[in-house]
Amino acid sequence: MQILNDQNTAFELDELKPNLAFLPIGATEQHSRHLPLATDTILADALSSEMLSKLDWPGHVYLLPTLPISSSEENTGFKGTVSFTPLTMRAIIRDIWNSLESEGIQHLIVCPWHGGNFILKPIIRELNCEKQKCQLFYLNPWELVPQEIYDTFARGFEVHCGDVETSLMLALNAEHVRDERIDNPTPHFKAPLQDMWSMHTLSSGEGHAGHPTQATAAKGEVFKNAVIEHSAAYLKELLELSKVYKKY
């Protein structure tokens, strides 16, 4: 299997005819004082290709450029955050898939590295139902990491810019992690609350919830390996099921 991308030519893609595409979705949104606006995009760029390299697929894969802006409405109120509305994201996914399908791509894996894109699940269901084929897959790498990995962090899974995400950035791109790390324990904070309140409100203006001072590159390396291993295994399972269940 060969991983092709936008550095290949159109004629190279025509010759090799990839039948699987992978769309990483990043974000341009605030990540508190210590992580850059492009954090989710950086993670997507660093991990997507390595994840696909573990995939046993009989054809070739077209790795699309990471979408650097997505739905980040919960992180508005900070300088630099740029957000699409959920309906705009819906239209973007539909247009990307229609373009790829017309070129003979059989499957598209949509992989959000920013968790706020709740619209992705219903649009994938809608498109599969509309075409009556199971052609689009949803992969959330954060959801596939086993709980025992999260238990090694300060407070388990911390939603935004805490121990987990900061450790991962230290392992992958330590030069992007600023020294202005402060802990911001918010005992009442849960991810679903972002449907009602912004991160600006929930974090008292700090932009994060958790314990980034306890982040280490070593913990991030373990987390990185877990993301790659379990995401690749899940993709293999989905693609095998698509051979069995070809109709939506």
Side-chain angles (χ1 to χ4, degrees):
M1 181 189 81
Q2 186 172 342
I3 299 173
L4 308 167
N5 57 36
D6 61 348
Q7 301 305 304
N8 290 99
T9 69
F11 290 88
E12 288 169 343
L13 265 70
D14 187 49
E15 177 186 354
L16 294 171
K17 294 179 172 50
N19 51 10
L20 174 67
F22 188 94
L23 175 63
I25 299 180
T28 300
E29 62 177 24
Q30 72 84 21
H31 275 74
S32 193
R33 302 171 185 272
H34 60 284
L35 295 179
L37 294 160
T39 292
D40 295 328
T41 304
I42 292 169
L43 296 179
D45 287 341
L47 295 174
S48 294
S49 181
E50 194 166 351
M51 180 195 303
L52 289 175
S53 70
K54 305 294 183 183
L55 188 63
D56 184 15
W57 178 248
H60 301 301
V61 179
Y62 179 24
L63 173 59
L64 293 161
T66 300
L67 192 64
I69 298 173
S70 56
S71 183
S72 299
E73 294 176 320
E74 73 281 8
N75 281 300
T76 55
F78 294 89
K79 299 294 185 182
T81 295
V82 181
S83 179
F84 292 144
T85 66
L87 288 179
T88 297
M89 283 300 300
R90 175 182 179 274
I92 288 169
I93 299 301
R94 177 179 283 273
D95 288 351
I96 289 173
W97 175 236
N98 285 339
S99 297
L100 294 171
E101 187 185 33
S102 70
E103 298 174 3
I105 297 289
Q106 296 173 6
H107 298 291
L108 172 63
I109 299 159
V110 179
C111 180
W113 294 89
H114 162 53
N117 291 295
F118 64 87
I119 192 65
L120 295 178
K121 284 186 178 181
I123 182 57
I124 287 170
R125 183 182 300 185
E126 176 186 342
L127 286 168
N128 283 334
C129 180
E130 181 180 302
K131 297 177 184 297
Q132 282 299 297
K133 294 179 181 179
C134 185
Q135 295 176 305
L136 278 81
F137 300 123
Y138 175 81
L139 169 68
N140 187 328
W142 303 97
E143 294 177 349
L144 298 172
V145 175
Q147 183 59 45
E148 56 264 29
I149 300 292
Y150 281 113
D151 290 342
T152 64
F153 289 87
R155 298 293 186 277
F157 177 65
E158 295 178 336
V159 175
H160 198 61
C161 314
D163 188 5
V164 176
E165 196 168 19
T166 307
S167 291
L168 191 54
M169 282 292 286
L170 285 171
L172 294 170
N173 291 92
E175 66 274 17
H176 288 304
V177 181
R178 276 62 165 180
D179 293 330
E180 295 90 342
R181 281 190 270 168
I182 60 171
D183 290 342
N184 188 30
T186 51
H188 303 295
F189 183 85
K190 295 183 176 64
L193 294 180
Q194 294 176 102
D195 294 334
M196 278 73 72
W197 291 279
S198 69
M199 273 300 298
H200 194 284
T201 296
L202 292 170
S203 68
S204 301
E206 284 299 321
H208 74 285
H211 299 75
T213 64
Q214 299 186 42
T216 68
K219 288 191 290 187
E221 188 69 25
V222 172
F223 192 87
K224 179 197 83 168
N225 293 334
V227 164
I228 292 169
E229 175 188 349
H230 291 278
S231 295
Y234 183 63
L235 285 182
K236 179 180 179 182
E237 179 184 349
L238 290 179
L239 291 167
E240 288 297 323
L241 283 172
S242 73
K243 298 175 186 176
V244 179
Y245 303 111
K246 298 182 179 180
K247 186 177 182 298
Y248 175 76

